[in-house]
């Protein structure tokens, strides 16, 4: 999956989603306007893995767009255009905070249920989808996920649900744990983490065994020449 990174991005918004996806076997790739460093709202300096021109929907499971002041001008318009390409290719797009404003201005929310910071903020984008606004922490409509700036946990929950990362029981427990600090949810999440680690360990062992068998076969073939 790909995470867009640019100057001023809100550090706190993608963390839950990217951490869990990476731990569940997804490769998290950052994509910037170019390959030069960007600085987050919190002052962290990031070096993108790829430039926006290299981004291909067919090579991704999801495009994640975080908030930044640049969404309220023209600076990040190319990322909104990339979101359109993803949706045209039927690859999900998840937008939070200012990024919702950006994809609204691109026309991507004109006929989709969505949420955001506030309806009046989205109205400033000039979009035609105000009737589809929902007063909710996060909303999924087909391939589009939206959330307001204060709901990174709900944002992550919708991403996990869309990608089928967790079973419904584990997803509900994960949200209770991180959004509500419900300690009773911890055993369910911990058990899922242990099962995931075991499954990934078995998968790595199987890959290593296949590679070793291939190497032995190659050596045997070379010895027989």
């Amino acid at each position: 999956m790909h995470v867009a990174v640019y100057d001023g991005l809100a550090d706190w918004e993608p963390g839950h989603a990217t951490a869990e996806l990476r731990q569940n076997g997804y490769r998290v790739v950052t994509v910037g306007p170019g390959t030069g460093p960007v600085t987050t709202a919190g002052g962290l300096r990031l070096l993108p893995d790829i430039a926006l021109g290299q981004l291909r929907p067919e090579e991704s499971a999801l495009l994640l767009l975080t908030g930044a002041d640049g969404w309220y001008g023209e600076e990040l318009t190319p990322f909104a255009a990339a979101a359109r390409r993803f949706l045209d290719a039927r690859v999900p797009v998840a937008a939070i905070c200012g990024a919702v404003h950006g994809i609204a201005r691109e026309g991507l929310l004109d006929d989709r249920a969505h949420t955001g910071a506030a309806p009046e903020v989205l109205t400033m984008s000039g979009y035609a989808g105000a009737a589809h606004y929902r007063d909710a922490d996060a909303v999924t409509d087909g391939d589009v996920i939206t959330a307001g700036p204060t709901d990174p946990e709900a944002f992550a929950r919708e991403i996990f649900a869309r990608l089928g990362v967790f079973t419904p029981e584990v997803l509900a427990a994960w949200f209770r744990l991180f959004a509500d600090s419900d300690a009773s949810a911890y055993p369910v999440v911990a058990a899922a983490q242990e099962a995931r680690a075991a499954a990934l360990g078995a998968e790595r062992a199987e890959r290593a065994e296949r590679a070793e068998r291939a190497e032995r076969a190659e050596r045997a073939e070379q010895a027989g020449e």
Side-chain angles (χ1 to χ4, degrees), residues 1-5 29-33 49-65 78-86 91-93:
M1 61 89 68
H2 289 81
V3 180
V5 296
V29 179
T30 54
V31 52
D49 295 313
I50 64 171
L52 185 57
Q54 300 170 277
L55 180 63
R56 301 288 181 270
E58 62 271 18
E59 298 173 355
S60 186
L62 177 139
L63 174 62
L64 193 159
L65 303 171
F79 284 94
R84 179 177 292 280
R85 292 195 298 275
F86 266 64
V91 179
V93 171

Side-chain angles (χ1 to χ4, degrees), residues 19-106:
E20 291 290 350
L21 289 175
R22 185 172 180 273
Q23 290 176 24
N24 277 274
Y26 284 82
R27 181 171 174 244
V28 178
V29 179
T30 54
V31 52
T35 54
V38 300
T39 303
T40 72
L44 300 181
R45 195 164 180 266
L46 305 178
L47 191 64
D49 295 313
I50 64 171
L52 185 57
Q54 300 170 277
L55 180 63
R56 301 288 181 270
E58 62 271 18
E59 298 173 355
S60 186
L62 177 139
L63 174 62
L64 193 159
L65 303 171
T66 64
D69 289 343
W71 283 111
Y72 300 101
E74 301 297 324
E75 179 186 347
L76 299 179
T77 298
F79 284 94
R84 179 177 292 280
R85 292 195 298 275
F86 266 64
L87 295 178
D88 287 344
R90 297 185 176 180
V91 179
V93 171
I96 184 171
C97 190
V100 180
H101 185 279
I103 67 171
R105 188 168 57 176
E106 181 70 15

Side-chain angles (χ1 to χ4, degrees), residues 148-163:
T150 59
D151 294 294
E153 297 91 355
F155 184 55
R157 178 196 64 205
E158 296 301 303
I159 291 172
F160 302 154
R162 179 60 183 80
L163 296 179

